[in-house]
Structures are given as structure tokens and as C-alpha cells.
Amino acid sequence: MISVTINGAPVELDVPPEMPLLWALRNVQHLHGTKFGCGMALCGACTVHVDNVPTRACVTPVSAVAGKQVTTIEGLSDPVAAAVQAAWTELSVAQCGYCQSGQVMAATALLRATPKPTDADIDAAMNGILCRCGAYPRIRAAIQDAATRLAGGAPAASPGT
Amino acid sequence: MKRRTFVLGGLGAGGALLLGWGLLPPRQRLRGKVPLPTGGGEVAFNGYVKIGPGDTVTVVVPKAEMGQGIFTAAAMLLAEELDCAWTQVRVEFAPVDAIYNNIATMVDGLPFHPDDNGRVKRTARWIVAKYMREFGFNVTGGSSSVTDLWDPMRDAGAMARLALASAAAKQWDVPVTSVQVADGKVSLGERSLGFGALAAQAAANLPGTWERKDITRWRLIGRPMARLDAGLKATGTAVFGLDAAPKESKYAAVVLPPSLGATIASFDASAAKAMPGVRAVVQCPGSAFGNPPAIAVVADTWWHASQAAAAVKITWTPGAGATFSSASALANLEARVARGDGRTFADRGDLVAGFKAAAFSVEGAYRVPYLAHAPMEPMNCTVRVSDGTVDVWCGTQVPGVATSAAAAACGVEPSAVRLHQQLLGGSFGRRQVADYVAMAGEIARQVPGTAVQLIWSREQDLRYSKFRPMVHAKLQAALDGDGKMLALNVASAGQAQVQGWGRWIQNSALVRVPDKTTVEGFTDQPYEWPALRVVHDSADFPVPVGLWRSVGHSYTGFMLESFVDECAAVKQTDPVAYRDAMLREHPRARAVLNTVAEQSQWGTPIAAPVAGGRAGRGVALHWSFQAYVAHVAEVEISPDNRLRVRRVVVAVDCGQVVNPDGVRQQMESGVIFGLSAALYGEVSFTNGQAVPSNFHEYPILTMTETPVIEVHMVSSDAPPGGVGEVAVPGIAAAVGNAIFAAGAGRLRALPFRLAAGATS
């Protein structure tokens, strides 16, 4: 048994310690927001927060998160995440949407640490998270929009303007 | 679904039925053979819309949502005519029914030039359209969804609107012309009734005819709308195939052949079976739906399954493809082109006279590699075989084929299969094949009563794709003394995508007929050349090929638009002016070209590159899927020879626009997808095995590499055309032309590799 806190709730995981956190979340806890994309930490679709740090769940053994706080997209609840998700929705960021859980997790972590990110900050935080549909320009715009919202400014206008 | 054929040659048997369909009243064409499933007080009006308590409007969309935004566009079309409130709208996948069969993509497949509007073409289009309704199938592809839904979605909304208005008028005992319909309510003066309250009575008295709105009364079509699925996808609550397995499911990982065509001689699963969490190890025979033979391990989690799969000892019997290499296949294609073998797809004007009269002749040999689709969601499918019923949970672009594949794999009739369509985590043509469905069926059949989710690893997704073919082409042009093109001669060779796809969907007609997608983009462009000949030789290599975003245009756009630039350069003619001069009779193409030139500040000095670097602008214009798209790319090449695409301007005329923000999004998408192919995309084969294993060996564009993308829509009153694929074809050419303009040479092979000194 490995004790972990997942989305604020204590959980005892009865899985082999070397099992990647991704599969414990998806196939054992049935939390499906965290996606499988590559299995080698190359795409970022599986990004979760471990003690608030964006982490690739597909290469993180469950043993490495024992006693730690794991947050998946289902557990996002603070104003930063809300601003990110509102910006994502209003700017129609997603296309297929499969990578977006990872994008939202990374963007939320970025804005918590860096409320006014520069383009370089955004590149550094987001560059490893792949999107095959090509949502990148909107991801960048939505991060800037969320930052504006959080700073008390007016959000961007509706899409296409 | 039984095998269907729909080519013209197969029409004899269907003729009588075609007439029958044509005589049906419009109301019947909107209703499926089986009424839509309804629940919780919902009322179905036709095959496209249901109204429920609380005035909810459920738009039933018969197309896969794989990112292209069809949920939103389809709902806009229906809601436009229904006059409901946009906030009332929800979307649901349609069941499998012949009323949803494609027309546009098959009509687009006819071998006519876009300029041709003769009687033969019009008759052929009419026949194909009727025939598809009876014998065709439903595929999401060919950038045809809005074109196909344009009429039925609006008719379905208009029919329901009139029925609701009539029901209210009857209650109030007034003429229907006196009531108002707006925002999901029917009203007359102070009186008002919601759609929900009227639905049952309205649906019981459906009109036989109705009128659609005049364009001047549109309030949704043409207005930028946020995606209906944007919120679900921002919160991780959207359900993809991978997320759709019932809670009690087991998970399957597979071992696939080490080389093309290899089969299983024997295997020893004793070690794997002894591993924790393992429930079963089964052999999958493979099928004509395109799934190779496999050994599958079924376990409590996919991790347990994949660990145990690695412990299965398999002896493989090599097949015919065991020695295949893409390098020797390329030599084969080059030899075919040199011989000029193949089928002639276009032969217009006097080519010989053109070359005889030439002051200059230009020749360029171009090539593109095999490509995998690499959607972010790897192939997966969940199947449960229980008491003769087969439940299938997956995302698919071909629900009918997926149903057939599951039925064949599980040994049941298609009527025993319940297909639960899910959102697709990308596809780009990959899920137009149901190999992963057949494989999941073969596994689940051997563990009856258990839902099993088959998941391919990323390595398997890349190596067992249905690839975009490798193609080699030689282009030759005859130019007059001013550099103007007198004649173009194109010879190309490669595998044929639609013929390949025809095999996987078990459509023998598609396998048999000449595949015009091999040369689309060469034969159908708006340029007014006096003479054109296009020949293609279809090779039969053991690499499984299928449809890849933009199909033939995905490479012909690169080849032709790079070559046109080469021709312009002979007399140093400006590339925009050079193209413009060949488009005298094509105002839509010219408008797009001139818009992109203006918006990109073409002809003005380009922003300076970093010290010691070079910069250049390149243009491309390409017609595909009923849309004209022009790109201008700005590239920068650093002193150490690194290429950066810093800005891309796109102009598009895709006919009537439904959701401008959706068009904008697909232009962004096409540019980025096309840049991945231009800069990185390559699947080579050695010893019968695809080389790249994961994203480190098959890179796709990252955020940092993404240029600034500006999109400009050129307004058009043409009927709605395609959007999802149309921005891919020209981007590589625009970048290649920009590299040339920057003085870094003419690159004729993808992915681009800069000459000596390149460090990346």
C-alpha cells in the first residue's frame, strides 16, 4: 500500500511501487482527465501537479509520490486555474482537446509562480507539451488573457476578433 | 454494413432505387430508418434534432468531432433555422443510418477539373449524389462535413421551427404566419410558449414543406462563435475513446510484427501469464480491416499488460515485406518516373508544341517521405462481447466500417454491434481505418463477458500507421522568352492513398478504380497553362498506406508551388506577379493571392534577420477541397544555418463561411501541421520496420517553433467548401520558396534539410 493524497483526499494505492502514476490514476482511480500520449515524458499530455510542481505522470513511479499531494485536472479549484480555464473556453483554445489537460496543468502552474509571464516564460513552461492540432497560438494568447484576468483587467474579447 | 460499391460502373443494379429516393418528399430524407433514440421526455423531430424538457435542443451530428469543430458548425446551421437560443444547444453523436451518408467527398472524387461545369460532369455528380444516399457510407473526411451538412442541418431546423410555430398557432387558434419564433420561444403579443412545451404536439404534426431563411436574416451563420466543446476540453471532462471504457474493464497491450507481413509461428506465454495482474494471453489472427497478427495480454491495468507483453516469447515467420527499405523503394520510384510509366490523368493542350516552342525549359525532381498521422490520442478501442451482443467504445471517422470490423472480428452480424462513438483525440485520417477496432474485437471475443480496452503504445501508433505514401515526381516546364509557362509535364510515382484505404474498408471498387488523389493538386489547379500532362505510376509496396490530412494535396501542393517558383525565377519575375498573370480567368484565386500579398507586405523590405543571418519571403497558392488558400511565409536562417519560420500569413476563400473563428482555427492548425511535415516529418523503413519509435524520433512542431500566424478570409458567395485540410498543402512550398528567396538554395525534398553547414 502506498499512501498518496490525490486531489485533496487521502488514497491508499494497492499497486506495485514501480507502476507509473499515470496508470494508477487512469486504470485504478478511474480519473480520466490525465491523458496517455507517449509513455516517455516526450509530450506532456499526462502532466499533473506533485506538491504543486508540474510532473509527467507517465514516467513517475507511484513510489515517488508516496506521502505527497497529487493534483490532477479534476482537482484544480483555485482562482488561477479558474482563470486559465475561462480563458481557454472563451478563446476556443482546444481543437481535438486531448492534450489540453496537460496544457492547462502547465499553464496553471506557470501563472501561480509567474503571474505576469513574458513570452520567454511561456516558452519555457509550455514548450515540451505537444499539440498535434496546433493550438499553440491560442494557448499563448489564453495564458496572457488569464494573466490579465487575474490582475483584475478585462478579459480578451470573444473569438475571432 | 455489407460491401458496397458506388462507382459509376456499379450503377446498373441501383438505378431503380435511385429514382425512388429522388421522389421521396424532403421530410423523408431527413428521417432515418430507425427513429433517433430519445430519453427523459425528449422528442425527435427528424434525424438531426431533438427537443427536451427545459427547452433543451439536442443537435444530432453525424460526423466525428476530431478537433475540426464540426460540432459547433453543425449546431450553428441547425440553430440558425430553428431560432433557438444558442445556450439551449447541446450536441450528440448520430447513430449509424444511411441518411447520413456522404455525398460531397465522393462527388469531389470524380475526375473532373474544377472549372468544368459541363453536362457530363453535372450528370455524374447528380448520379453519384443519389447513389451515395442509397449505397454509400458515412465517413468524416475530405473536408466535406460542412458541405454535406449545409442543406440537411438547415432543413431539419427549418422543419422543426415550422412545426413548433404551427403547434402554437393551433393552440392559440391563429394563423401560423402571425406568430413569432425567437430565442427558443414561440410568441404572439403577450403570449409565449417554450419549445419544450410545444415539442410533443409539434413533432406529431410535421410539415411536408418549409422555407429556409433568407441570407439577410441570418444571425449565426458567418458570426464567430466559441466552440461548444471548449469548456469540456479545458476542464478535462471531455470523454475520448481512451476515457470511455466501463469501470470494470480490463486492459490489453499487444505485441505486433517486427517487420511488414510477418506472422506468428509460435509463442510461449507461460512467463507472461505468471506475472501479476495478468488475466489472459490471446492470439489475434489479424484481418482484412488492416490489423496485423498480434499477441495480446489482458490485465488489470494497461501497465500490467504492457509489462507482461514484453515477456511473451514469440517466433515470427518473416513475410514478403521483411527486407523492405524506403531507400530502395525510392530508387524504384525514381526508375518508374524516369521511364514515364503509369496512367495519364490529364493531357490538355499540345504539350509537344509547347516544348518545341520553348525558349527555356525547367526541370525539378521532388520527393516526400512516408508520414504517420501521430494523433495525440494513440489508437484504442474497448469491446465487450456479451450474450451475442457486441458493445464497442471508440472514436472513429467511419462508424459503419468500425461496426463491420467489430462484427467480423467477433463473429456476429453487424446488427448485433452497438457502436458508442466518442470524441477523437486527433485523427488526421488515421481513424478512417478500423484496424484497431478489429484487433480489439479479436481480443474481446476470447474473453467473453469482459470489457477489454486495447491501447496501442505511441511506438505502435507511429510504426503501424496507415502511412501517407512516399512519392517521387519530376516536373518539367516549357517557358517562352519572357519566362511564361507554355506547358507543364508531370510524372510521379508512389503508392495510392485511396486505393490503399479501399482495402482497409473492404471496398473493392475503390481498390480497382484509378486513384485521382495521386495527382490531385497537379491536375486541378486554376493556372491557365496552354498545355498540361500528368502521369502517375502507382507502386505496390508492402507498406500499408491510408489517407493522411490533405491526401494527395499534402505533397502536390509542395511540389507544384515550389516548381512554379522555380519557373518564375528563370526571368527573375516576382513570384506573386508571375502567378497572378496565369490567373486571368480565375478571380477567386487572384483575390486570395492578392490578399495574401497585401497583408504580408509583399514587395516591401523584410525585417532584418539576426546579425549574419539571412531572411526571405515565399508565397504559395493552392486549390484543394473547394477552397483557395494562399500562404506567405517569412523565414530566417541563422549564421549557423538554423531555420526559423517566423511569420505566416494565410488568405483563404472557402466559399460561404459558417463559423469564421472555426475557419481561422483550422488555418492555424493546417499551417502548424504542415510545418511539422515540412521541417521534421519522415518515417523511413529498414528491414521491413518503420524506424521512428516515439516523438523524439518523429518530432512535431513545438510552441517555441510556432510562427506568428495571421489569417485573412476573402469573402465569397460560393457554396461552402472545405476547411480542415486546405491550409496544409501550400505551407511547405511557401517555406521552401522563402528559403530560396533568402539565398539558401532550392530545396526539393521534404523534410527540409539546409545545405552544408547545417547544425540542426
Side-chain angles (χ1 to χ4, degrees):
Chain A
M1 285 289 178
I2 295 165
S3 304
V4 192
T5 302
I6 300 177
N7 296 333
V11 173
E12 298 289 317
L13 287 173
D14 183 14
V15 301
E18 69 274 25
M19 184 177 192
L21 174 61
L22 172 66
W23 297 106
L25 291 171
R26 288 193 59 89
N27 291 173
V28 179
Q29 293 297 306
H30 304 292
L31 291 168
H32 291 158
T34 307
K35 304 304 186 199
F36 167 53
C38 71
M40 287 177 68
L42 296 168
C43 79
C46 65
T47 302
V48 298
H49 296 168
V50 176
D51 287 346
N52 291 319
V53 177
T55 302
R56 306 288 169 100
C58 75
V59 293
T60 303
V62 167
S63 57
V65 297
K68 297 191 174 176
Q69 302 268 351
V70 174
T71 307
T72 70
I73 191 152
E74 289 91 344
L76 283 185
S77 59
D78 70 324
V80 176
V84 167
Q85 290 173 325
W88 243 249
T89 303
E90 284 174 34
L91 296 182
S92 287
V93 168
Q95 291 178 47
C96 90
Y98 190 81
C99 72
Q100 296 299 340
S101 294
Q103 307 280 6
V104 165
M105 295 306 286
T108 301
L110 165 66
L111 288 176
R112 282 181 189 159
T114 314
K116 288 182 185 168
T118 61
D119 272 345
D121 294 331
I122 294 174
D123 283 343
M126 306 300 294
N127 198 45
I129 306 184
L130 301 180
C131 172
R132 185 65 163 146
C133 299
Y136 300 128
R138 290 176 188 235
I139 291 170
R140 188 183 294 282
I143 290 172
Q144 284 154 348
D145 186 59
T148 307
R149 284 164 195 261
L150 289 164
S158 51
T161 53
Chain B
M1 193 182 77
K2 290 186 187 142
R3 289 186 189 193
R4 309 272 198 222
T5 58
F6 64 88
V7 288
L8 300 173
L11 279 175
L17 287 166
L18 299 178
L19 252 183
W21 184 85
L23 294 174
L24 282 179
R27 186 174 65 189
Q28 302 283 340
R29 294 183 214 168
L30 297 178
R31 292 165 108 173
K33 290 193 174 71
V34 180
L36 285 178
T38 51
E42 279 180 332
V43 178
F45 281 71
N46 45 52
Y48 297 91
V49 62
K50 300 188 285 189
I51 291 178
D55 299 336
T56 58
V57 173
T58 300
V59 179
V60 178
V61 180
K63 295 293 169 189
E65 176 55 86
M66 47 196 178
Q68 83 280 39
I70 193 59
F71 268 15
T72 309
M76 285 172 71
L77 292 176
L78 193 133
E80 177 69 71
E81 293 292 338
L82 184 60
D83 274 329
C84 56
W86 186 242
T87 50
Q88 294 174 295
V89 174
R90 49 190 292 268
V91 179
E92 198 171 280
F93 286 114
V96 177
D97 196 292
I99 60 162
Y100 308 123
N101 288 349
N102 294 62
I103 294 178
T105 189
M106 298 303 159
V107 170
D108 196 26
L110 293 169
F112 296 103
H113 192 278
D115 289 350
D116 180 352
N117 197 28
R119 200 159 60 89
V120 174
K121 180 176 173 183
R122 280 181 284 130
T123 307
R125 289 170 67 106
W126 184 85
I127 292 173
V128 167
K130 299 288 186 230
Y131 199 77
M132 281 305 292
R133 284 287 194 213
E134 290 295 337
F135 299 104
F137 47 87
N138 178 5
V139 48
T140 306
S143 293
S144 64
S145 294
V146 163
T147 307
D148 264 340
L149 296 179
W150 176 247
D151 283 338
M153 279 291 168
R154 291 185 304 145
D155 276 331
M159 178 218 260
R161 180 188 191 276
L162 180 57
L164 291 158
S166 301
K170 198 175 171 194
Q171 258 188 50
W172 297 329
D173 197 21
V174 296
V176 67
T177 46
S178 65
V179 302
Q180 306 284 317
V181 185
D183 284 335
K185 289 187 185 68
V186 185
S187 54
L188 176 67
E190 295 295 299
R191 288 181 286 186
S192 171
L193 286 164
F195 281 3
L198 293 163
Q201 199 198 338
N205 296 286
L206 292 172
T209 57
W210 52 84
E211 277 179 27
R212 293 195 294 238
K213 276 184 188 172
D214 182 77
I215 186 169
T216 56
R217 293 179 52 223
W218 285 350
R219 64 200 165 85
L220 284 174
I221 296 173
R223 226 181 86 188
M225 298 296 285
R227 293 177 65 113
L228 285 171
D229 54 0
L232 289 178
K233 290 174 175 177
T235 53
T237 48
V239 177
F240 299 90
L242 196 76
D243 311 324
K247 221 170 191 176
E248 67 279 7
S249 297
K250 301 299 174 195
Y251 300 88
V254 287
V255 186
L256 301 179
S259 61
L260 293 164
T263 52
I264 297 162
S266 64
F267 71 102
D268 173 6
S270 51
K273 278 182 178 163
M275 289 174 69
V278 173
R279 301 293 170 134
V281 180
V282 301
Q283 182 170 355
C284 304
S287 82
F289 287 94
N291 52 313
I295 298 295
V297 176
V298 180
D300 292 344
T301 72
W302 191 74
W303 181 76
H304 285 104
S306 52
Q307 297 290 107
V312 181
K313 294 183 188 72
I314 307 173
T315 307
W316 298 92
T317 305
T323 59
F324 180 83
S325 86
S326 41
S328 52
L330 178 63
N332 176 303
L333 296 180
E334 285 167 347
R336 287 167 187 262
V337 168
R339 286 195 301 269
D341 286 351
R343 166 178 288 273
T344 303
F345 282 87
D347 196 357
R348 293 194 286 273
D350 193 338
L351 196 86
V352 175
F355 277 90
K356 216 176 228 174
F360 306 96
S361 74
V362 185
E363 184 175 316
Y366 284 81
R367 69 181 148 84
V368 297
Y370 288 105
L371 293 175
H373 308 74
M376 291 312 299
E377 180 192 19
M379 296 304 103
N380 67 87
C381 178
T382 306
V383 178
R384 182 179 60 211
V385 183
S386 188
D387 299 329
T389 298
V390 176
D391 283 286
V392 179
W393 293 266
C394 68
T396 172
Q397 294 177 255
V398 282
V401 177
T403 301
S404 299
C410 298
V412 301
E413 286 298 311
S415 57
V417 174
R418 293 188 297 210
L419 181 76
H420 310 280
Q421 170 76 297
Q422 307 296 328
L423 292 171
L424 282 65
S427 197
F428 318 110
R430 178 61 183 88
R431 283 178 251 256
Q432 266 169 324
V433 175
D435 50 346
Y436 57 101
V437 178
M439 189 178 284
E442 289 175 0
I443 299 167
R445 184 184 191 174
Q446 300 179 64
V447 280
T450 304
V452 180
Q453 181 172 57
L454 166 67
I455 306 172
W456 284 10
S457 65
R458 173 58 59 192
E459 289 78 1
Q460 291 169 336
D461 175 73
L462 291 176
R463 287 181 165 161
Y464 300 87
S465 185
K466 301 294 181 219
F467 299 92
R468 199 288 304 275
M470 175 170 70
V471 178
H472 173 74
K474 189 173 75 180
L475 290 81
Q476 296 169 293
L479 313 184
D480 70 11
D482 297 327
K484 198 176 154 225
M485 286 171 82
L486 299 172
L488 175 65
N489 187 22
V490 181
S492 62
Q495 288 167 269
Q497 292 179 69
V498 169
Q499 286 179 345
W501 179 58
R503 283 175 63 192
W504 317 127
I505 67 164
Q506 318 258 320
N507 188 312
S508 56
L510 283 181
V511 176
R512 248 187 353 256
V513 299
D515 186 344
K516 77 118 204 180
T517 68
T518 54
V519 293
E520 62 184 1
F522 287 141
T523 57
D524 48 15
Q525 294 307 297
Y527 294 124
E528 293 143 9
W529 297 312
L532 169 70
R533 184 166 67 195
V534 179
V535 176
H536 180 85
D537 194 17
S538 285
D540 188 17
F541 296 144
V543 177
V545 298
L547 305 172
W548 194 89
R549 192 177 193 178
S550 312
V551 201
H553 295 284
S554 73
Y555 54 85
T556 58
F558 161 63
M559 294 171 172
L560 182 60
E561 277 300 286
S562 301
F563 187 67
V564 166
D565 232 58
E566 291 198 63
C567 294
V570 168
K571 295 292 283 182
Q572 285 88 45
T573 312
D574 174 80
V576 169
Y578 189 76
R579 287 170 171 83
D580 187 71
M582 297 191 287
L583 297 166
R584 297 288 124 188
E585 306 297 322
H586 291 84
R588 290 179 69 191
R590 285 184 82 185
V592 163
L593 180 66
N594 290 315
T595 299
V596 87
E598 191 182 308
Q599 297 296 337
S600 65
Q601 295 85 44
W602 185 267
T604 64
I606 190 165
V610 292
R614 293 168 288 179
R617 262 192 210 109
V619 68
L621 170 72
H622 196 81
W623 178 92
S624 65
F625 307 97
Q626 319 299 324
Y628 295 89
V629 175
H631 297 81
V632 166
E634 280 183 23
V635 306
E636 184 166 326
I637 299 161
S638 68
D640 62 350
N641 237 17
R642 283 175 197 276
L643 172 68
R644 185 165 77 89
V645 182
R646 63 186 191 193
R647 179 182 180 220
V648 173
V649 182
V650 183
V652 54
D653 172 355
C654 57
Q656 174 63 53
V657 169
V658 177
N659 184 2
D661 193 54
V663 173
R664 188 177 298 278
Q665 192 173 36
Q666 284 308 298
M667 295 306 107
E668 295 162 0
S669 178
V671 165
I672 291 170
F673 194 87
L675 282 176
S676 288
L679 303 182
Y680 302 119
E682 180 166 26
V683 177
S684 52
F685 286 80
T686 55
N687 299 321
Q689 174 70 286
V691 171
S693 64
N694 208 316
F695 286 121
H696 61 303
E697 292 169 340
Y698 191 74
I700 63 174
L701 209 72
T702 63
M703 185 176 231
T704 311
E705 298 159 311
T706 299
V708 171
I709 302 171
E710 300 161 32
V711 178
H712 301 276
M713 274 162 263
V714 177
S715 70
S716 175
D717 54 6
V723 170
E725 297 171 272
V726 305
V728 177
I731 184 63
V735 171
N737 295 342
I739 292 170
F740 176 78
R746 172 61 60 186
L747 301 184
R748 299 186 185 87
L750 294 184
F752 289 130
R753 299 217 160 87
L754 293 183
T759 53
S760 58

